[in-house]
Amino acid sequence: MNKSGYMNTSVQEPPLDYSFRSIQMVQDLVTEEPRTGLRPVRYSKSGKSLTQSLWINNNALNDLKDFNQVVSQLLQHPENLAWIDLSFNDLITIDPVLTTFFNLSVLYLHGNSIHRLGEVNKLAALPRLRSLTLHGNPIEEEKGYSPSLPHRQYVLCNLPHLTTFDFSGVTKADRSTAEVWKRMNIKPKKVRVKHDVL
């Protein structure tokens, strides 16, 4: 852990992989056996995984109820979780619980049921988030949606630290376009000044 309280989140351990397990509730992760990969997942003496990656993709989750508690049961250091794959589930919102994992740098949410583009705003609380996926959500049906504009610009305005969005690198031109789009489309909040009345 460095001076700022963040761990180096380069993902070195293999993921704790619960993909394709027909999981319907987060609590099921506690009793479900994770998939085995080429490299075995290492565990602490207390039986908790030492990984920084949790893959729960291709299941049937429609909420993240008890996510913090379950992650604490599964991982030795839940505060170091750097990669969460929740793609291809039935999530309708971006649960604020995801914003409690400050070292999160990769978040896959593609192929879910998220309807509102404004849900992205919640993720601004994640200082280390660098890669996000949202394609394949009903957001695409929102008026004016386009894979490149304005959906991409909205996301980049709200999450300026992203380096990859929907598996596509974020370029300097993307950032410039997002800044112009922001100035044209997002009105600054009015600041009310209180005047002392004598």
Side-chain angles (χ1 to χ4, degrees):
M1 199 164 299
N2 64 24
K3 292 177 188 174
S4 64
Y6 294 113
M7 181 179 168
N8 176 0
T9 54
S10 60
V11 180
Q12 299 156 357
E13 294 292 323
L16 201 54
D17 186 355
Y18 292 97
S19 59
F20 298 97
R21 293 291 197 214
S22 301
I23 293 170
Q24 296 180 353
M25 297 184 340
V26 169
Q27 297 86 344
D28 294 342
L29 297 173
V30 177
T31 55
E32 187 68 43
E33 216 31 60
R35 300 169 70 84
T36 54
L38 295 175
R39 293 186 318 157
V41 174
R42 292 187 316 135
Y43 291 89
S44 67
K45 290 178 183 175
S46 64
K48 295 181 180 185
S49 173
L50 297 173
T51 190
Q52 296 170 308
S53 305
L54 183 59
W55 294 359
I56 319 171
N57 54 299
N58 294 277
N59 283 294
L61 293 173
N62 57 24
D63 67 44
L64 296 179
K65 185 175 185 255
D66 299 326
F67 192 76
N68 260 339
Q69 295 88 331
V70 170
V71 169
S72 292
Q73 287 180 269
L74 298 174
L75 303 182
Q76 182 66 34
H77 298 287
E79 70 279 5
N80 294 337
L81 192 56
W83 183 349
I84 301 175
D85 186 346
L86 288 163
S87 60
F88 299 105
N89 276 286
D90 296 319
L91 300 173
I92 59 171
T93 63
I94 296 176
D95 195 302
V97 72
L98 296 173
T99 67
T100 64
F101 297 97
F102 293 112
N103 281 307
L104 192 60
S105 60
V106 178
L107 179 59
Y108 290 169
L109 293 169
H110 57 279
N112 274 284
S113 299
I114 300 167
H115 290 273
R116 292 186 54 249
L117 188 54
E119 289 289 312
V120 169
N121 299 352
K122 298 172 186 175
L123 300 176
L126 294 170
R128 304 192 115 209
L129 187 63
R130 297 297 179 264
S131 182
L132 173 68
T133 61
L134 288 172
H135 60 279
N137 278 285
I139 289 171
E140 294 177 347
E141 297 164 15
E142 238 182 59
K143 184 181 176 188
Y145 174 84
S146 159
S148 58
L149 293 169
H151 173 94
R152 185 174 180 85
Q153 305 320 321
Y154 182 87
V155 171
L156 294 179
C157 283
N158 286 284
L159 305 173
H161 301 297
L162 287 183
T163 56
T164 306
F165 176 58
D166 282 343
F167 299 119
S168 175
V170 176
T171 65
K172 287 181 182 180
D174 287 332
R175 293 194 193 290
S176 293
T177 304
E179 191 55 41
V180 169
W181 184 88
K182 181 179 180 179
R183 285 196 304 265
M184 291 173 57
N185 293 286
I186 299 176
K187 295 178 183 173
K189 293 180 182 175
K190 291 183 180 178
V191 178
R192 289 187 173 173
V193 179
K194 287 187 178 182
H195 295 284
D196 290 335
V197 179
L198 296 176

